[in-house]
Structure formats: C-alpha cells, structure tokens
Amino acid sequence: MSFEIHVSGHVKAVVDQTLPGLVDALVASGITAGDADLWGPDAAPEAARRLGWVEAVSVSRPLVPEIVALRGELAARGVTRVVLAGMGGSSLAPEVIAQTAGVPLVVLDATAPGQVLAAIDGDSESGGLAQTLLVVSSKSGSTVETDAARRAFEAAFGDLGIDPAERIVVVTDPGSPLEVSARAAGYRVFTADPTVGGRFSALTAFGLVPAGLAGADIAELLDEAEATLLEVAIDDPRNPALVLAAAIAGATADAPRRDKLGLITDGTHIVGLPDWIEQLVAESTGKNGTGILPVVLLPVSPEADQTPADLQLVRFVDDAVHFQILEQHPDEILLSGSLGAQLIVWEYATAIAGRMLGINPFDQPDVESAKQAARGLLEHRPAATAPAFVADGVEVRASDAALVASGTLAGVLDALWARIPGDGYVAVQAYVDRIAVPQLAGIRELVAADSGRPTTFGWGPRFLHSTGQYHKGGPANGVFLQILGADDVDLEIPGLPFTFGQLVAAQAAGDAAVLTAHGRPVVTLTLTDPQAGVLALFEAAQ
C-alpha cells in the first residue's frame, strides 16, 4: 500500500465503533462520485461546485509537460530562482512539495516590508532579481497580499530594465480579474479548475506550477497520488481515509472526541506537511462553534511529553506498521506514505470529518471579517492606540485593562493564560519579518510549557488564510497573543495608497478587533527592537 495508518488503544476503540457507519453510508464512494448531498441540504450548493479535487490527478496530467518545458526555457535564459507570491492554499502545498523534493522555492506569503524586500533582492546563494521568476498565485485574483507583491516585483523588474512579462507567471481561476489583467500584460497564465477550493488545490495548477518550476518532480507526485486513489474511493473498512476520519473526528459514549490534533513529524522523509494539514483541517472544520484544531509539534514539545486529554497525537513516520514508538504511546495515530498519498488521504479524510461534525467543509464564512476590518483601517487610518505600558522595549496592549494590570510582561502572560478555559488553547500570532527573527518561532514551546495548554504558532498574515477561520468560527475557547515587529524600513506598494508597513499593521489590528468582538482575549506585544524584544519575550514566557 502507498499509505499506512496504524491506530491502537483509545483511538482504535473509537475507530472500531465509528467506521462501520461510514462504510454503510457509502461516504467514500459518494465523494468520489461527486455526491454534494453528503453534507446536508444547506451545504449542498457549495459542495456541488467544490468537489473537483477528486479528479485533480487526471485533470492535472496535461500540465506536467507544459511546466517542465517552461522550466527548461527559463533555465536556458539564466532564470533559476523562483519566488512564489501566494497565500493559504496557493502557497502551503507548493511549499511542502518543494521542501520534500529538496528544491529551492522562495515563498512570499507575508507583508512585513523587510521580508518583501528580501524576496525581491535575493541573495548570493539563490541568486538575485536578475535570475528571478515570480509566480503570482491567487484563486480569486484579488488577494491583497499577492496583489501587493506583484506590484512591488513589477516595479523592481522595471527598475532593472527587465520586462515583467518575461519574468512573471500567473496561476488563477479562469475569468478572475487577475487572469484578465495578466493576459493584457502579456504574462504566462495557467488557469486551474474552478471547482476546487483553495485548500484542496494541492494537486492542481496551484500546487504543481510553482513546485514544478522550482524543480520538483511533479509527475512522480501525481503518480504517488494516483496509486492511492482506489484505496480512498471504496467503501471498505481498510480505506485509510475512512480510518483517519474516524480517528480524528469520531467519538463514542465512553470516549468523547478530542478536538485538537497534535501533528508530529518523526523521521519521515516529508518536510513541512503539518503546515499544509493545519490549513486544510482548521479552515474546513472550524465553524459553527465546532471544529478540529491542528497543533504543529516537535517530537520533544510539551504536549507530546504530557498530552492533554483533549489532544490527539498524530505522528508521521516512514513505516507506521513497524514504528517502535507504538508500544510507548498506544493512543497515537501513526501515518506513513508518499507525499502524493498523504495529500489525497488527508483531503478525503477532512471532507469526511466535516460530514461527521455536521458542518460544510468547503466554505470559510468567518475569513472575510478580518479582511474587512483591515480594509477599514487602511481607508480611515485612525491614530495608533497608546500602549498600556512599555517594558524592555516591548509595547503592551490588550483587549481589556485587567490583562495588563500587573505592569510586567510575565504578569500579562500569566493573566492571559488565566483566561484559558479547561478545554482551551493559546494562539501565538507573529506579524514580524520571519527572515530577520526566525528564532521567534521558539516561543511556541515556551508558551505551551508556561500555559499548560495546546499552543499554535502562526506567522501573520499567513495564518489568517489558515487557522484564522477556526479562531473566529470554531469553539470560543482560545486566547490570543499577537506579536508585532517595528520595521526599520518600509516599502511603497505601487499604485496603492498605503505601504507594506501600513498593510501589515492594519491586518494585525483588524484581526485583533474582530477577535475582541467575538469575545476572545487578545494581548498585543510590539517589539520596538525585534532582536532585543524576542529575548525579553522569551524570558517573560519561561
């Protein structure tokens, strides 16, 4: 088999009781046949135009020679560095495909000015702008971050005397505003199947074009996925997608559902898969007050050492059947398989889990609210709110005064942790230049240990297109720690009345406002000196 799943203990008991109902209901074959009624009458209209991903392998095959040929043409012209401007489903899948293949792909899913400048300038190892191709990837064609990046690169290419039409490739849905403008500008355009939602688009042009142009073997990826299609399409208790869905969304009278999913890579050859799963599962299930919250972990993370009762661990290994950790952690879900197989199985399992939870896995009703709030701030530009206090170069703001009453960073964090319900979680949201301060990601481990609860970490605004839906539409049991960086530089966005610095600030403030309106506690820490501020934050979180 191209995919292996092994469950035992508590998980096996849940699967054994849940699986027969899924088999009898013909769920797997129904998805394969495009049955939009599987998720109920309210979801049927959306599902009817969002099931194209089940045919993505065959639909995408003709793209492969076209992408390979274009890569050869570009290499012959000395264009060897690929930058991808995209958000959510337009960036996460090609990122894991490229990382697993070991090929360089610069993913620009940020609006921090320093990070945008780094993507434009390049470096001595990967090459500079003169060797760069920009892939602009947006399903709707109107994603603000992607549009801003395109404008910045067009100006930069022009400054070098390079025709942008020779260096920009566009991936979008047919008929989108981006397709219209790109064709008018003479850009190479790849259109994707419009019946595939963004987070299910890994095996469409959105995943294959950027990764293939970067050098990944996308034909092999499709072969891996195709080898798994029969397994996931049949109504059989051995169907790995049915087993996985039962394991992550099932419940019994004696075993309530664990609504958080700890994702651990432990020896697998696949790089970065949990980040893709995080969006797929969180955005698909986090709505109507329910959902499954993925938490990306290390093998040594606090949650892996002392696992909360509401967290289900999933461990990605190279051989699930023989992985010895099974004897030590009998309640874990062990998964192994090729990348193509993982993509297919998780897409099926997530759709099935949505049915089990009684929600529509194909919409994202709460994502737009943060975008609207950010647009409003960019239009009206209100004066910045004064911090409650400043400590060690860190400005402290919060959704209510009680959170900052201590007057110390450590006290503020303790006050925020005190707001976590017994079944709650912490979301750390870092709107900073992650190229400049990559060490900030380590705060997740400290927060998880200090708070004693499952903790997610997301770079902003990237996470808004991933877990942002869950934060507003899922269970109201999260507390939120925003971390902002004060950039030394800013960058204009050609043709727009705001800068990248103003955009990222508005995105952070807009999301905080929406979370506060939903009754979520929010603490915002602005690092006036990011390098020194990270150290102060680490000390406070210990």
Side-chain angles (χ1 to χ4, degrees):
M1 296 177 68
S2 57
F3 185 94
E4 294 283 356
I5 178 169
H6 200 292
V7 297
S8 61
H10 161 98
V11 188
K12 187 176 187 302
V14 171
V15 170
D16 286 346
Q17 291 194 44
T18 307
L19 194 56
L22 296 174
V23 173
D24 292 344
L26 308 180
V27 176
S29 61
I31 291 175
T32 306
D35 183 358
D37 294 324
L38 286 169
W39 297 273
D42 291 341
E46 180 81 19
R49 58 189 184 91
R50 285 289 179 259
L51 286 169
W53 52 271
V54 301
E55 298 179 349
V57 172
S58 59
V59 171
S60 297
R61 283 286 184 191
L63 284 174
V64 175
E66 193 175 349
I67 295 168
V68 171
L70 178 57
R71 173 172 167 75
E73 294 170 15
L74 291 165
R77 303 205 313 260
V79 181
T80 55
R81 177 177 180 259
V82 180
V83 176
L84 168 62
M87 303 299 296
S90 296
S91 64
L92 293 166
E95 183 175 58
V96 67
I97 295 168
Q99 287 179 334
T100 299
V103 299
L105 174 66
V106 179
V107 175
L108 180 58
D109 53 2
T111 46
Q115 195 168 336
V116 177
L117 283 168
I120 292 173
D121 293 340
D123 54 49
S124 58
E125 182 178 345
S126 63
L129 188 63
Q131 292 81 41
T132 295
L133 171 78
L134 176 70
V135 179
V136 179
S137 186
S138 171
K139 181 175 175 62
S140 68
S142 58
T143 309
V144 63
E145 300 94 337
T146 307
D147 176 64
R150 175 188 59 79
R151 292 168 181 265
F153 268 85
E154 285 175 339
F157 283 134
D159 289 343
L160 276 187
I162 297 173
D163 182 359
E166 297 179 356
R167 297 298 185 86
I168 294 180
V169 170
V170 167
V171 185
T172 190
D173 273 2
S176 75
L178 180 57
E179 186 200 10
V180 174
S181 63
R183 292 197 187 280
Y187 298 160
R188 179 69 174 270
V189 177
F190 290 85
T191 54
D193 184 348
T195 67
V196 181
R199 57 186 174 272
F200 287 85
S201 66
L203 297 171
T204 73
F206 287 106
L208 300 181
V209 171
L213 292 177
D217 189 339
I218 52 176
E220 181 181 40
L221 180 73
L222 292 178
D223 289 342
E224 293 170 354
E226 187 172 37
T228 314
L229 285 176
L230 181 59
E231 296 176 42
V232 298
I234 59 175
D235 302 300
D236 186 287
R238 294 167 297 180
N239 179 329
L242 290 176
V243 176
L244 180 57
I248 66 175
T252 68
D254 299 324
R257 182 173 66 86
R258 296 170 175 173
D259 67 350
K260 300 170 189 68
L261 207 59
L263 306 173
I264 303 172
T265 54
D266 195 356
T268 176
H269 68 286
I270 300 174
V271 182
L273 183 61
D275 289 334
W276 175 78
I277 293 171
E278 182 179 45
Q279 186 211 12
L280 177 70
V281 174
E283 198 167 69
S284 296
T285 67
K287 57 201 71 169
N288 300 341
T290 189
I292 301 170
L293 178 66
V295 183
V296 180
L297 302 175
L298 301 172
V300 295
S301 290
E303 298 95 323
D305 182 43
Q306 296 184 352
T307 306
D310 56 345
L311 179 72
Q312 175 60 59
L313 292 182
V314 179
R315 195 176 295 262
F316 299 90
V317 298
D318 265 346
D319 189 339
V321 175
H322 297 100
F323 193 65
Q324 295 303 311
I325 200 74
L326 180 63
E327 297 179 5
Q328 302 174 34
H329 300 278
D331 281 343
E332 293 186 3
I333 301 169
L334 301 180
L335 301 179
S336 62
S338 65
L339 176 56
Q342 293 277 2
L343 298 175
I344 284 289
V345 171
W346 276 98
E347 286 177 347
Y348 264 83
T350 300
I352 297 165
R355 184 180 192 273
M356 297 171 67
L357 296 177
I359 52 91
N360 176 3
F362 305 114
D363 68 354
Q364 46 283 332
D366 300 292
V367 167
E368 188 61 28
S369 58
K371 297 179 183 179
Q372 291 175 345
R375 285 195 292 267
L377 291 170
L378 288 169
E379 289 173 4
H380 302 295
R381 309 276 179 84
T385 304
F389 67 90
V390 181
D392 299 321
V394 179
E395 298 178 352
V396 181
R397 298 172 176 84
S399 55
D400 68 78
L403 288 168
V404 296
S406 67
T408 68
L409 287 178
V412 168
L413 294 182
D414 287 340
L416 187 60
W417 309 159
R419 300 286 184 93
I420 308 172
D423 62 347
Y425 66 95
V426 183
V428 182
Q429 307 170 337
Y431 291 87
V432 301
D433 179 351
R434 65 177 180 266
I435 304 299
V437 284
Q439 68 272 27
L440 181 57
I443 193 68
R444 197 220 74 84
E445 305 302 313
L446 297 177
V447 169
D450 195 38
S451 68
R453 291 301 300 161
T455 299
T456 66
F457 179 91
W459 298 105
R462 168 184 171 123
F463 78 86
L464 290 174
H465 300 257
S466 177
T467 52
Q469 166 63 41
Y470 186 99
H471 294 160
K472 291 94 169 175
N477 58 4
V479 303
F480 298 85
L481 178 63
Q482 283 193 336
I483 304 171
L484 281 60
D487 286 292
D488 294 333
V489 298
D490 202 350
L491 180 64
E492 292 186 358
I493 305 174
L496 295 180
F498 49 84
T499 67
F500 277 100
Q502 291 167 334
L503 174 56
V504 70
Q507 290 176 309
D511 194 47
V514 173
L515 290 169
T516 300
H518 279 73
R520 277 42 163 187
V522 182
V523 166
T524 300
L525 306 178
T526 302
L527 313 183
T528 57
D529 179 343
Q531 297 294 340
V534 168
L535 294 177
L537 186 54
F538 277 25
E539 183 176 346
Q542 292 185 27

